[in-house]
């Protein structure tokens, strides 16, 4: 059974950092592309970042480039999202989702991903 569980969210001041985790079970992480999405009240879901199956190449939304870093730990079957220089506009519920096996990140479009986790709240506020 494919399952993703997010953790690591919380309240942080502007300019601060958080690291989100997406723990995967029921499949081998390296064979799948894993993406992070976020949903803020009144806004459309946004694809934030993705790490591709196999090669591990990464992709980012323009809004987070240079501030966020996605990575994976195959031994722990976990994908991370390191978020630095956080801004109030990063406030959202963050979800991870999976695509594959052996498929690309597909421009981080939500309709192409499945097995969504329950989400973790990130709030950036002073």
């Amino acid at each position: 059974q494919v399952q993703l569980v997010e953790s690591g969210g919380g309240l942080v001041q502007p300019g601060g950092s958080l690291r989100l985790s997406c723990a995967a079970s029921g499949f081998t992480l390296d064979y799948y592309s894993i993406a992070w999405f976020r949903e803020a009240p009144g806004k459309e879901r946004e694809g934030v970042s993705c790490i591709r199956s196999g090669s591990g190449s990464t992709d980012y939304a323009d809004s987070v480039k240079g501030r966020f870093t996605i990575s994976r730990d195959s031994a722990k079957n976990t994908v991370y999202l390191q978020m630095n220089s956080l801004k109030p506009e990063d406030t959202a519920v963050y979800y991870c989702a999976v695509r594959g096996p052996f498929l690309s990140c597909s421009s981080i479009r939500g309709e192409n991903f499945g097995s969504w986790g329950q989400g973790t709240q990130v709030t950036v506020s002073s």
Side-chain angles (χ1 to χ4, degrees):
Q1 180 182 357
V2 174
Q3 187 175 16
L4 299 173
V5 178
E6 303 95 336
S7 63
L11 173 64
V12 64
Q13 292 186 342
S17 298
L18 281 175
R19 188 178 77 159
L20 305 184
S21 299
C22 173
S25 60
F27 64 100
T28 301
L29 196 64
D30 288 359
Y31 298 162
Y32 292 77
S33 293
I34 305 293
W36 285 96
F37 297 83
R38 64 187 181 186
E39 292 184 4
K43 295 184 179 180
E44 292 187 359
R45 181 177 58 197
E46 179 184 17
V48 174
S49 182
C50 183
I51 185 163
R52 181 173 177 155
S53 62
S55 68
S57 61
T58 58
D59 195 11
Y60 299 91
D62 288 342
S63 57
V64 306
K65 278 181 182 176
R67 300 188 298 122
F68 290 11
T69 302
I70 191 171
S71 62
R72 70 186 181 204
D73 184 332
S74 300
K76 295 182 178 180
N77 229 36
T78 299
V79 170
Y80 301 100
L81 185 68
Q82 177 67 42
M83 306 186 297
N84 299 328
S85 302
L86 283 162
K87 305 175 181 180
E89 51 263 44
D90 294 318
T91 296
V93 178
Y94 284 71
Y95 301 88
C96 58
V98 62
R99 186 168 190 259
F102 308 115
L103 296 178
S104 72
C105 285
S106 184
S107 302
I108 325 178
R109 290 193 296 267
E111 60 268 27
N112 293 327
F113 287 79
S115 300
W116 296 74
Q118 83 290 348
T120 186
Q121 176 71 47
V122 172
T123 302
V124 185
S125 174
S126 54

